[in-house]
Amino acid sequence: MILLITKIIIAIVALLHFYFLWLEMFAWTTKARKVFLNFPQDLFEPTKSMAANQGLYNGFLAAGLVWSLLIQDMQWQIYTALFFLSCVAIAGIYGAISVSKKIFTIQALPALIAIILLLATLYSS
């Protein structure tokens, strides 16, 4: 049961990062203006390519998390998920320190919860 809950959380983290990809790569000058309210409105257009690059990185994280869910070997699946979730958690912690504390709740916290559950699964086997 814990493994199923963990996989659901991993899928949610992946979906969030696919959303970040879309927002930063394809909707930076439109929808992102309504999401990133503290970001100066006059900077959306000049930072469009920078945001797209950032979105691409979020896409790689999401793809890695989805890949981890498709791996058949349980130990390899857990280690792969731990790697990508750690990347998400570190990025979220850094974002919380350098940009906004809200990033911790949205990005790092779900990844950290999944990491704890994966470690519990790994060490209870």
Side-chain angles (χ1 to χ4, degrees):
M1 186 66 172
I2 289 179
L3 190 58
L4 176 63
I5 293 168
T6 305
K7 287 183 178 187
I8 291 169
I9 295 171
I10 291 170
I12 291 169
V13 173
L15 287 173
L16 276 171
H17 281 78
F18 279 127
Y19 171 69
F20 300 152
L21 172 145
W22 172 78
L23 197 61
E24 294 167 346
M25 291 188 80
F26 305 108
W28 185 246
T29 58
T30 56
K31 301 285 185 194
R33 291 176 183 269
K34 296 173 185 154
V35 174
F36 298 101
L37 299 174
N38 291 335
F39 195 74
Q41 294 294 308
D42 60 319
L43 292 181
F44 278 95
E45 195 60 46
T47 59
K48 188 175 180 177
S49 61
M50 181 191 70
N53 186 317
Q54 188 170 299
L56 186 61
Y57 283 98
N58 280 308
F60 289 142
L61 292 172
L65 290 169
V66 169
W67 174 47
S68 78
L69 294 172
L70 301 175
I71 296 170
Q72 297 300 313
D73 180 87
M74 186 59 64
Q75 196 168 18
W76 188 33
Q77 181 184 73
I78 290 172
Y79 289 147
T80 303
L82 283 172
F83 171 77
F84 284 99
L85 288 167
S86 295
C87 291
V88 169
I90 291 166
I93 292 166
Y94 180 79
I97 292 168
S98 63
V99 179
S100 168
K101 299 209 183 326
K102 186 177 175 184
I103 294 173
F104 180 83
T105 305
I106 293 170
Q107 186 173 341
L109 188 58
L112 290 169
I113 291 169
I115 288 169
I116 291 166
L117 291 173
L118 277 175
L119 291 173
T121 301
L122 185 64
Y123 291 111
S124 69
S125 302

